[in-house]
Amino acid sequence: MAATKENNVPERVEGVERGEPGAGIRGEGVGGVRGAAPAETAGLREALLRLRRATGLQVAFGGLLHDGSAVRIEELHGAVTPALRGLAVSTGSGLGGKCLALSRPCAVTDYPSARHITHEYDGPVSAEGLRSVIAVPLVVRRRVRGVLYGALRDALPIGERVFDAAVAAARDVEQALAVQDEARRLVAEREELRQAYGELRELASRVADPEVRERLWAVCGRLENASAGSVSGSDPEVSLTPRETDVLSAVASGATNAAVAERLGLRPETVKGYLRSAMRKLGAHTRLEAVVAARRAGVLV
């Protein structure tokens, strides 16, 4: 019976994931997971909550890559036991591990009897009573960053609606991670420039040759002007409304449109409208481009 139901799973999600043994169960909360920033796990948490609401899945959980070697289950919603919390899933092990290895969604209709995955994690999975499970990889710039799961406690096939909703939730998390990555990169670039500027000023003050010293001070002045322009806004025509700034600021923190709507007390359609308006003013075609352009124009800190 289980084998028959497993064959009913849509072909594109037939792959299954497996995890590591129960050694990964440490009962650690989000705070105990190294390598995952609060903003990143917040985006994952919001996506899992929306996935459960949209599909009726009894359990939704997931985690991000931990120290570049394994995905640690950091967020659980709908769970009745702590069995899965802190579980470390390595590439090639269990349903999640297969999902990591293939970089594509995988699913099983009856986890305990699934033949296409390994069963190192049967203990935690059985303790939670999970049967039908789907796992979707979180991929940013061709690099797997984590796994999102949805599950039922009955051995039922994963339908197209649930599959599409799980993939859409994963795409939301990926977009949030990409925005956060770019924000960190810009901050790092600014800090590196600041340090280089400080070193250049110190070097200029020690140069004995007047002509060389003056040229170095001139370079320092150019750097100051360039920095001031990027902070105060190099494009005087860029002017966002307070609400557009609020929305873009929330997006920059990694929030999805639905999360922004909840945070600001707006409808999702209204958030989309503000975001489209801000993107148009900034000459951006994507959310990521809008955040980057806003930071460079100085209209978003």
Side-chain angles (χ1 to χ4, degrees), residues 86-140:
L87 187 68
V89 179
S90 62
T91 301
S93 297
L95 183 62
K98 184 172 183 179
C99 173
L100 287 171
L102 298 177
S103 294
R104 67 177 176 85
C106 301
V108 289
T109 302
D110 190 21
Y111 196 103
S113 63
R115 297 171 298 174
H116 304 296
I117 61 169
T118 58
H119 289 274
E120 297 91 334
Y121 300 143
D122 280 7
V125 172
S126 296
E128 187 57 43
L130 304 183
R131 302 288 294 279
S132 179
V133 186
I134 181 172
V136 183
L138 305 174
V139 184
V140 180

Side-chain angles (χ1 to χ4, degrees), residues 257-276:
N257 287 350
V260 175
E262 291 182 7
R263 186 182 304 179
L264 299 180
L266 301 172
R267 297 177 60 188
E269 294 76 13
T270 305
V271 169
K272 291 179 182 178
Y274 282 128
L275 188 55
R276 281 195 296 266

Side-chain angles (χ1 to χ4, degrees), residues 9-298:
V9 177
E11 182 179 359
R12 58 178 173 175
V13 293
E14 280 182 351
V16 183
E17 141 289 312
R18 65 172 181 169
E20 285 187 340
I25 305 174
R26 307 176 190 276
E28 296 179 28
V30 174
V33 178
R34 292 177 296 155
E40 294 177 334
T41 55
L44 176 61
R45 183 183 312 121
E46 292 166 351
L48 292 172
L49 288 170
R50 289 195 303 277
L51 177 61
R52 285 192 69 205
R53 295 194 194 106
T55 63
L57 285 169
Q58 293 166 314
V59 185
F61 55 102
L64 301 178
L65 203 62
H66 171 75
D67 291 340
S69 59
V71 166
R72 181 72 56 83
I73 302 303
E74 305 157 343
E75 292 290 337
L76 293 114
H77 297 280
V80 296
T81 75
L84 294 171
R85 184 172 296 282
L87 187 68
V89 179
S90 62
T91 301
S93 297
L95 183 62
K98 184 172 183 179
C99 173
L100 287 171
L102 298 177
S103 294
R104 67 177 176 85
C106 301
V108 289
T109 302
D110 190 21
Y111 196 103
S113 63
R115 297 171 298 174
H116 304 296
I117 61 169
T118 58
H119 289 274
E120 297 91 334
Y121 300 143
D122 280 7
V125 172
S126 296
E128 187 57 43
L130 304 183
R131 302 288 294 279
S132 179
V133 186
I134 181 172
V136 183
L138 305 174
V139 184
V140 180
R141 294 186 176 88
R142 301 184 180 180
R143 184 165 65 93
V144 178
R145 298 280 294 275
V147 178
L148 178 150
Y149 298 83
L152 294 171
R153 294 189 174 90
D154 299 302
L156 300 173
I158 298 294
E160 290 293 323
R161 185 178 69 86
V162 174
F163 173 88
D164 291 341
V167 170
R171 297 299 87 87
D172 284 344
V173 179
E174 291 168 352
Q175 193 170 55
L177 290 173
V179 170
Q180 291 160 9
D181 288 349
E182 183 63 17
R184 280 193 292 268
R185 186 187 67 80
L186 289 174
V187 169
E189 284 184 355
R190 182 173 297 179
E191 178 60 20
E192 185 176 356
L193 180 60
R194 188 190 66 79
Q195 292 180 2
Y197 170 73
E199 293 174 6
L200 184 60
R201 285 183 61 88
E202 182 181 0
L203 178 63
S205 66
R206 295 181 180 182
V207 173
D209 187 305
E211 183 179 351
V212 174
R213 185 169 61 249
E214 286 303 316
R215 292 180 64 184
L216 287 175
W217 282 122
V219 172
C220 289
R222 287 162 55 193
L223 287 174
E224 286 179 358
N225 292 335
S227 178
S230 65
V231 172
S232 62
S234 57
D235 187 352
E237 295 182 2
V238 175
S239 177
L240 302 182
T241 67
R243 267 309 189 194
E244 289 169 351
T245 302
D246 290 342
V247 168
L248 205 53
S249 179
V251 168
S253 72
T256 59
N257 287 350
V260 175
E262 291 182 7
R263 186 182 304 179
L264 299 180
L266 301 172
R267 297 177 60 188
E269 294 76 13
T270 305
V271 169
K272 291 179 182 178
Y274 282 128
L275 188 55
R276 281 195 296 266
S277 177
M279 290 168 60
R280 184 171 60 254
K281 292 178 180 180
L282 293 163
H285 300 288
T286 67
R287 295 155 58 95
L288 176 57
E289 289 181 2
V291 170
V292 173
R295 290 187 185 280
R296 287 177 174 168

